[in-house]
Amino acid sequence: MKVKSGASIERFSTPQELFHAAAEEVIRVANQSVSERGRFTIALSGGSTPRNLYNLIAANASTSLPWSKIFFFWGDERHVPPTDAESNYRMAKETILSKVPVPQANIFPIPAEDADASSAAKSYEQTLQKFFAVERGKFPSFDLILLGMGPDGHTASLFPETPALKEKSHLVVANWVEKLHASRITLTLPVLNAARELVFLVSGADKAAVLHEVLEGNAPPEKYPSKLVLPNHGKLIWLIDRAAASELSESA
Ligand code: 6PG
């Protein structure tokens, strides 16, 4: 179904169906990107929802994808070392990166072990500028950015009414999140919106109220940052399960 932002919404009866569909889309985009441009660049989302997706890709595509041409980045990271239980890198390593033959040189973690979150953000920004060969003031176009959505409508580490929402020139910033009493490191909206394709993966009843707000409500987008993900030229796909969709109008 199309919604006002031009995004497409695909509903699935169960989380399992959702994750299978998401895995198929990642594999489809990976093969298309390699065929068209010789490589596939993906920014992973963190949190708990994508765990099943990453496990599924590792189980189903470990021999069929051109792993030497796939390059892994992150949409955001907690300000913790890569060994920390909260680390998005650690979660991805456990669920997919340790199970597929992707060269270590193709994996670009956010250096969140740096005690200074701003320094980590600056370093990652330089990594992206070098890898994508983008000039200052320009933004890289990832082939695919995976996104989750928190119960407060945040995505990546773009939390409601936080400074990062206003960033228009940097690619990566450190973002202080008062309610977490912690810093996060996150791609900025200009980078998200420059992607060729963005896929939101939303599962569970705890997301239903906020998904209605994001997709159908009229609240200011600063209160629900997922509303600010509006790709300039790319595709925006919402993959949601029945529980998460339970407060959407039938038409959505
Ligand atoms: C993070 C994520 C974040 C996540 C949402 C949803 O670092 O936590 O990148 O944006 O996608 O918080 O998290 P769950 O999937 O755990 O609900």
Side-chain angles (χ1 to χ4, degrees):
M1 292 301 199
K2 288 281 182 198
V3 288
K4 58 191 171 192
S5 61
S8 63
I9 298 178
E10 296 176 39
R11 298 183 191 211
F12 300 90
S13 301
T14 66
Q16 290 68 28
E17 286 178 20
L18 170 70
F19 294 121
H20 275 282
E24 282 174 15
E25 181 63 6
V26 172
I27 292 164
R28 183 193 69 76
V29 178
N31 284 315
Q32 180 183 33
S33 303
V34 169
S35 144
E36 290 175 0
R37 288 178 294 279
R39 72 182 188 188
F40 172 51
T41 57
I42 179 171
L44 300 179
S45 63
S48 55
T49 301
R51 295 186 73 95
N52 292 339
L53 167 61
Y54 301 161
N55 279 317
L56 210 48
I57 295 170
N60 295 352
S62 60
T63 55
S64 58
L65 279 178
W67 292 102
S68 64
K69 295 177 180 169
I70 297 180
F71 299 85
F72 285 93
F73 301 83
W74 275 261
D76 71 319
E77 187 56 276
R78 290 79 183 279
H79 190 205
V80 296
T83 50
D84 191 292
E86 283 295 298
S87 165
N88 288 336
Y89 166 79
R90 175 175 158 176
M91 184 269 281
K93 186 172 177 193
E94 288 170 352
T95 53
I96 181 168
L97 299 178
S98 59
K99 302 176 185 174
V100 297
V102 59
Q104 190 59 37
N106 289 22
I107 301 171
F108 298 88
I110 294 174
E113 65 278 8
D114 186 332
D116 178 345
S118 297
S119 159
K122 186 172 174 52
S123 166
Y124 205 57
E125 180 171 78
Q126 290 168 346
T127 297
L128 296 183
Q129 284 169 332
K130 182 175 175 206
F131 180 89
F132 287 96
V134 289
E135 305 149 34
R136 202 169 287 287
K138 301 283 188 202
F139 301 100
S141 285
F142 284 91
D143 293 313
L144 179 59
I145 298 181
L146 295 177
L147 293 170
M149 185 186 67
D152 60 358
H154 84 262
T155 190
S157 283
L158 300 166
F159 283 79
E161 297 175 308
T162 55
L165 298 187
K166 298 184 178 62
E167 182 56 50
K168 297 282 185 270
S169 56
H170 283 291
L171 280 59
V172 188
V173 293
N175 195 28
W176 175 258
V177 185
E178 186 56 36
K179 68 179 171 182
L180 301 177
H181 209 65
S183 279
R184 292 283 190 94
I185 299 119
T186 186
L187 296 187
T188 58
L189 283 162
V191 175
L192 299 189
N193 289 330
R196 290 190 177 84
E197 181 167 322
L198 295 134
V199 174
F200 272 97
L201 209 53
V202 187
S203 171
D206 64 321
K207 306 288 176 73
V210 69
L211 192 60
H212 164 69
E213 273 297 340
V214 167
L215 294 180
E216 301 179 314
N218 296 311
E222 296 71 33
K223 292 192 181 301
Y224 297 96
S226 295
K227 293 176 84 153
L228 294 167
V229 176
L230 297 165
N232 309 322
H233 306 292
K235 278 168 73 173
L236 174 57
I237 302 173
W238 288 82
L239 302 180
I240 60 182
D241 65 13
R242 187 199 307 265
S246 59
E247 294 193 24
L248 292 182
S249 62
E250 272 320 299
S251 59

